[in-house]
Amino acid sequence: MATWGNMMIQDANSALMEQLMFFHDHTIMILSMITIMVAYIMISMLKNKFINRYLLEGQTIEFIWTTLPAITLIFIALPSLRLLYMIDEMNNPSITLKVIGHQWYWSYEYSDFSETEFDSYMKPSNELKTNEIRLMEVDNRTILPMNTQTRVVVTAADVLHSWAIPSLGIKIDAVPGRLNQGSININRPGIMFGQCSEICGANHSFMPIVIESTTTENFLSWIKSM
């Protein structure tokens, strides 16, 4: 998760988030080159003394400053389109997790396992253990197996919410009366934190998300104990 010392994106824990980070770096590199070039041209123009009072048009330079941005946009658009298709791609999910947003907590249902559902509330500060994070820990963590294609179906019971886990590269709007879906495939075991990313009322800041990734055997043992 992001801490006070982190200025960049969280560590990726899914192939999709890795691709998002590659695209971010690719775009930042292009923007940096444009910024440096424009700054150099502006400084050069301010420092030189050359003038041309009779200049009416410059078709060559107009052609160049129209063509170069178009080519640059192609280099940004093509990877972006590829990434959009990757986000929508879903190949034979092994399990389905249904997420329901409430004011102000989350409900989870494991659709493939009967009677496996629970509510997840933020832990109050007076109940936190030494190693737990204030405003981010919940009473019931969501357990998911790693290296398993998981479909996430998201809706809301009252107002708009948004289920977001930055390190997994997933953000799905929770809309009352509508089912939105996404796909995640977690690379390694660990704990991932997220929050509601849609302003949903007075306690919007107090409905965190905690995903705990573990092995398939541990996940099945947890399911049996529910």
Side-chain angles (χ1 to χ4, degrees):
M1 66 166 291
T3 59
W4 298 111
N6 287 359
M7 299 295 292
M8 298 299 291
I9 302 172
Q10 293 184 25
D11 291 339
N13 198 9
S14 70
L16 178 59
M17 186 57 191
E18 289 175 357
Q19 292 299 318
L20 285 166
M21 291 177 70
F22 291 150
F23 177 68
H24 169 270
D25 296 343
H26 169 75
T27 309
I28 289 295
M29 181 186 69
I30 293 174
L31 292 176
S32 300
M33 291 168 60
I34 294 171
T35 303
I36 293 168
M37 183 179 71
V38 171
Y40 172 75
I41 293 171
M42 289 177 66
I43 293 169
S44 298
M45 290 179 65
L46 289 172
K47 284 189 172 183
N48 70 54
K49 304 291 183 181
F50 300 118
I51 58 171
N52 188 345
R53 293 185 300 159
Y54 305 103
L55 181 64
L56 297 177
E57 65 177 33
Q59 293 185 359
T60 303
I61 190 64
E62 289 174 1
F63 175 79
I64 291 171
W65 74 39
T66 303
T67 306
L68 283 180
I71 295 171
T72 304
L73 288 174
I74 290 172
F75 277 97
I76 296 175
L78 292 179
S80 176
L81 288 172
R82 172 178 169 272
L83 198 52
L84 284 173
Y85 280 104
M86 284 182 63
I87 291 172
D88 288 337
E89 189 176 337
M90 190 177 300
N91 295 321
N92 301 321
S94 301
I95 62 172
T96 298
L97 174 68
K98 184 177 181 182
V99 183
I100 305 170
H102 302 266
Q103 289 183 310
W104 287 273
Y105 64 96
W106 298 98
S107 294
Y108 296 93
E109 299 177 10
Y110 289 81
S111 306
D112 305 296
F113 306 94
S114 59
E115 299 181 2
T116 305
E117 55 185 76
F118 56 89
D119 297 331
S120 182
Y121 290 85
M122 185 190 77
K123 265 192 177 183
S125 298
N126 58 352
E127 295 181 11
L128 291 175
K129 298 177 182 176
T130 306
N131 59 340
E132 292 179 338
I133 303 168
R134 177 178 168 272
L135 300 181
M136 296 299 293
E137 192 58 62
V138 296
D139 54 359
N140 290 312
R141 289 179 175 176
T142 306
I143 313 295
L144 289 174
M146 62 179 184
N147 298 322
T148 302
Q149 191 75 22
T150 304
R151 175 173 54 194
V152 183
V153 180
V154 181
T155 187
D158 35 48
V159 299
L160 292 175
H161 300 276
S162 186
W163 195 79
I165 309 289
S167 59
L168 295 179
I170 190 166
K171 180 178 181 290
I172 307 174
D173 290 335
V175 183
R178 178 187 176 95
L179 290 176
N180 291 326
Q181 70 173 6
S183 177
I184 54 177
N185 193 332
I186 305 172
N187 288 343
R188 57 185 184 274
I191 299 172
M192 290 136 287
F193 295 89
Q195 287 178 300
C196 177
S197 297
E198 184 74 40
I199 297 176
C200 56
N203 290 333
H204 157 70
S205 302
F206 307 111
M207 48 185 301
I209 305 159
V210 181
I211 302 292
E212 185 174 338
S213 172
T214 185
T215 61
T216 305
E217 293 77 11
N218 290 342
F219 170 74
L220 292 174
S221 300
W222 175 78
I223 285 288
K224 290 176 183 177
S225 66
M226 292 293 288

